[in-house]
Amino acid sequence: MSISVRRSGARAAVIAAGVAALTLGGALAASAHVTVIPDTTAAGSYALLTFGVPHGCAGSSTTKVAIKIPEQINAVTPTVNPNWDVQKVMVPLDPAITDSHGNQITQRVDQVVYTAKTPLPDGYRDAMVLSLQVPDAVGQTLSFPTIQTCEVGETAWIEPTVAGQDEPDHPAPAFEVTAAAAGGDDDHAAATTTAAAAGGATAAPTSSAEVAATASSSESSAPSWVAIAGLVAGVLGLIVGGLALARSRRA
């Protein structure tokens, strides 16, 4: 092998290693952010949002996490985490609104604040889960600016991520609202019916024709007592006839 070939191979190896290092570095940087992972992003659906806190502030333990709620969302139900005290910070709604049940809503959740009962050490991860209804805003990005307070200092995860630009150093947790699945509850009902059938359950008839067909099927499959009685009588007749023939032969 010539010296030039060996140098080309070595150069290619160095470039490949550099690309791998950059890729790994990007992945590690992304995993180091405070992030939000929704279990659904469909408009109008009820979602569970999991906010991950993977580290402290420059080595300092985390003591508080304050999550700002987008203005399009009024109600939030925080999940209890035994390691944290949780508080909903309310602000007035002006004007007030009426919900689907006819109740007047005069306040909305502006922030959800988790305060650590024991500081979360750097290098350890915890998660906070919020339940809420995704607003009907297909294509819109919902941003949840988050302030992470530590024993020493804090980190503000509040910078917007702009399409086509490099990710900022401290991006706000966010996700894009997507279109709801066609059919909605009807699809869910159909899936439930299909699952029940697959499990061996029989679906109830839903029309008079189906009721008649079911009854006809039941009648045709039920035993006919008249036929059974005739069969028994025939068998007994054969037995009696056979006995009489045997006696006559002996005589």
Side-chain angles (χ1 to χ4, degrees):
M1 181 182 294
S2 66
I3 295 177
S4 61
V5 172
R6 287 198 299 269
R7 287 178 177 175
S8 298
R11 188 178 298 110
V14 170
I15 293 174
V19 171
L22 289 174
T23 303
L24 179 59
L28 291 175
S31 66
H33 299 335
V34 170
T35 57
V36 59
I37 301 177
D39 66 346
T40 177
T41 59
S45 63
Y46 286 89
L48 293 176
L49 310 185
T50 300
F51 290 82
V53 181
H55 59 76
C57 309
S60 181
S61 300
T62 301
T63 58
K64 185 168 66 175
V65 177
I67 304 168
K68 179 80 169 176
I69 306 301
E71 292 184 358
Q72 303 95 316
I73 298 171
N74 295 321
V76 176
T77 302
T79 301
V80 173
N81 184 319
N83 301 319
W84 306 74
D85 293 320
V86 60
Q87 175 191 9
K88 293 192 288 186
V89 179
M90 310 298 294
V91 294
L93 271 175
D94 187 19
I97 62 173
T98 302
D99 66 12
S100 58
H101 301 288
N103 302 314
Q104 190 176 46
I105 308 298
T106 59
Q107 292 181 312
R108 61 171 294 272
V109 179
D110 181 62
Q111 294 183 59
V112 176
V113 180
Y114 282 87
T115 303
K117 296 177 180 179
T118 301
L120 176 66
D122 180 55
Y124 288 83
R125 183 185 183 278
D126 209 340
M128 297 83 178
V129 181
L130 306 182
S131 173
L132 52 82
Q133 186 175 19
V134 179
D136 189 8
V138 177
Q140 187 173 12
T141 296
L142 295 180
S143 181
F144 298 81
T146 300
I147 304 296
Q148 179 185 7
T149 303
C150 298
E151 290 181 314
V152 178
E154 69 176 24
T155 303
W157 304 95
I158 62 174
E159 298 176 83
T161 300
V162 180
Q165 298 183 11
D166 292 339
E167 185 180 59
D169 292 334
H170 302 98
F175 67 89
E176 183 177 328
V177 180
T178 58
D185 291 340
D186 291 339
D187 287 349
H188 175 71
T192 302
T193 302
T194 302
T202 303
T206 57
S207 67
S208 58
E210 289 180 359
V211 172
T214 302
S216 176
S217 174
S218 298
E219 290 174 0
S220 63
S221 61
S224 173
W225 297 110
V226 175
I228 292 175
L231 178 63
V232 171
V235 171
L236 289 175
L238 289 174
I239 294 174
V240 172
L243 291 174
L245 179 60
R247 287 176 183 174
S248 64
R249 287 181 176 177
R250 286 197 299 270

